[in-house]
Amino acid sequence: MPYDAPSQKLNLSAGFASVSVAAVLVGLKLWALWATGALSIAASLADSAMDLFVSAAGLAAIVYAARPADDDHTFGHSSVEDLVSLGQAIFVAASGGLILWASVERLMAPSQPLTAEGAGIAVMAVSAGLTAALVLWQRRVARLTGNKVVAADMLHYVGDLLPTLGAILALFLSARFGWSRADSVIAIFAALLMLRGALQIGIASWHALMDRAAPADVVQGIAEIAALWPGVRGYHDLRTRTAGARVFVQLHIELDGAQSLEAAHAIARSLKRAIREAYPQTDVIIHMDVWQA
């Protein structure tokens, strides 16, 4: 879909906010890890480091995907979003695997007390507040612009709230009851969530890179619009494919051959406009055929 200036500014603001928050969280959690030695904070730190990478890549993807089509990329540049997502999935999986291995190793070893739990809790509480504020802004931008990179980044930060809150719980249990092993258990749970998320991101990116069709409800909605559109006697060969945040649509419509070319083009233009209003992420190509009674 064409990227208008207001939408692009909103998307960029969400991208810059994401990178800024991730950088602040990495710094805070590095200090908290050094002060406490808590693996649950290490898991949350790995999440934030991954977020910094993901957010930077997402920001670059937003900028690059918004470039207009050119001679080398006649369908635009939106597939970069899928390439970035696949790289993110690999990074997430590697981070989750390392945290899982370290957590199991510590769980099997003799219990080690945590330190400076109060300071760690304070840092993680600040992290949770910053993350929640970022999620609220990203949700607003995604709703207004329909950008899938922003929406995916928002969902990722929503998922990050769990390990952050888990780290707070682990530190509280250690300080209050001396249950230092809760740190490793929560870190294992966070690592499994990271691996699950990596699998979901990777599968979605793979499908998009393989030109998978748009979701069934989108295809059905486009078909219903075409079937009921004034002046359209029939339609066929409705095909879709996804690339990043965009959905490319090709559709043949059957029109009365007795009408003027200008009238036929007016019908096609109005149908194209209606489809794009219903599904703003689409790029629509309509072929006109003569209706055979």
Side-chain angles (χ1 to χ4, degrees):
M1 82 184 201
Y3 287 81
D4 57 276
S7 292
Q8 179 66 356
K9 287 181 180 179
L10 283 172
N11 291 332
L12 286 172
S13 72
F16 280 118
S18 181
V19 170
S20 300
V21 168
V24 170
L25 294 183
V26 166
L28 286 173
K29 292 176 185 180
L30 274 172
W31 179 86
L33 178 61
W34 171 80
T36 67
L39 265 181
S40 55
I41 289 183
S44 186
L45 171 61
D47 259 346
S48 293
M50 175 191 65
D51 291 342
L52 183 57
F53 170 80
V54 168
S55 297
L59 177 59
I62 289 171
V63 174
Y64 189 79
R67 296 176 61 185
D70 53 33
D71 291 339
D72 293 327
H73 305 87
T74 55
F75 286 95
H77 302 78
S78 56
S79 288
V80 69
E81 296 171 6
D82 302 311
L83 291 172
V84 168
S85 296
L86 191 58
Q88 291 170 353
I90 295 171
F91 188 84
V92 172
S95 299
L98 288 174
I99 290 296
L100 182 61
W101 176 79
S103 301
V104 172
E105 187 177 58
R106 177 177 283 193
L107 190 62
M108 301 300 292
S111 177
Q112 299 180 14
L114 302 179
T115 59
E117 291 96 335
I121 289 174
V123 168
M124 299 309 287
V126 171
S127 299
L130 287 173
T131 301
L134 175 62
V135 165
L136 290 175
W137 176 244
Q138 288 178 318
R139 177 173 295 173
R140 180 174 185 273
V141 172
R143 185 177 67 251
L144 292 174
T145 69
N147 188 282
K148 288 185 177 180
V149 173
V150 175
D153 203 35
M154 178 200 70
L155 291 174
H156 183 74
Y157 276 103
V158 169
D160 286 349
L161 282 173
L162 182 57
T164 300
L165 296 174
I168 293 174
L169 176 61
L171 290 169
F172 171 77
L173 292 176
S174 175
R176 186 73 173 82
F177 304 106
W179 296 351
S180 58
R181 288 192 183 277
D183 169 56
S184 298
V185 173
I186 292 173
I188 289 172
F189 183 58
L192 292 175
L193 285 178
M194 292 170 68
L195 291 172
R196 178 175 176 268
L199 180 62
Q200 292 175 335
I201 294 171
I203 290 174
S205 301
W206 174 258
H207 284 325
L209 289 170
M210 295 302 294
D211 287 342
R212 191 179 191 183
D217 61 326
V218 174
V219 176
Q220 180 62 29
I222 294 172
E224 290 176 356
I225 293 173
L228 299 175
W229 198 251
V232 175
R233 301 297 184 90
Y235 74 91
H236 59 276
D237 290 343
L238 170 57
R239 296 191 297 171
T240 64
R241 68 179 182 89
T242 57
R246 304 181 73 178
V247 176
F248 292 93
V249 180
Q250 292 188 14
L251 172 66
H252 288 250
I253 59 174
E254 300 169 8
L255 304 174
D256 187 350
Q259 64 188 335
S260 67
L261 184 60
E262 182 179 353
H265 275 286
I267 293 172
R269 283 195 304 268
S270 62
L271 173 58
K272 180 177 180 178
R273 185 165 53 250
I275 293 173
R276 289 184 55 186
E277 287 176 354
Y279 302 98
Q281 74 274 28
T282 55
D283 187 314
V284 184
I285 297 176
I286 295 179
H287 303 269
M288 295 176 290
D289 298 330
V290 175
W291 174 63
Q292 301 292 334

